Amino acid sequence: MPNDQAMPNLWLMDWEAKAEAARRRYNELYPDRPINQIGDTLEVHFFLFAFSGSWENGKPLTDREIASVAMITPPGCFS
């Protein structure tokens, strides 16, 4: 059995858990401006991790930034 089938991708699972924890923390700080879902684009990394110092220190994400975090790649986009 190949290694990728024998063991799940733990890094990916860890990243998803960290992203969900960041989303929940953001929603605790800003219940009036919630992030309802986490998308599959790089914006999740930028706004929840790279720029977390900003929203953790009193500056909530804009509507456009929240929409970017929730964005899902359209089906067939890369085919």
Side-chain angles (χ1 to χ4, degrees):
M1 179 182 312
N3 274 344
D4 61 341
Q5 291 178 353
M7 181 174 234
N9 188 338
L10 297 177
W11 182 86
L12 181 61
M13 290 170 52
D14 188 43
W15 185 89
E16 289 173 347
K18 288 179 181 178
E20 179 60 22
R23 184 189 74 81
R24 288 180 186 205
R25 173 74 177 135
Y26 177 87
N27 287 348
E28 288 173 6
L29 293 172
Y30 306 103
D32 57 326
R33 301 183 58 75
I35 297 171
N36 295 320
Q37 72 176 15
I38 296 174
D40 63 356
T41 64
L42 290 176
E43 279 78 0
V44 173
H45 175 77
F46 294 134
F47 294 117
L48 290 184
F49 299 113
F51 301 137
S52 65
S54 180
W55 60 260
E56 287 180 340
N57 289 308
K59 185 178 179 220
L61 298 176
T62 65
D63 290 339
R64 187 174 186 173
E65 292 167 342
I66 291 170
S68 294
V69 170
M71 188 170 39
I72 303 291
T73 305
C77 182
F78 298 109
S79 60

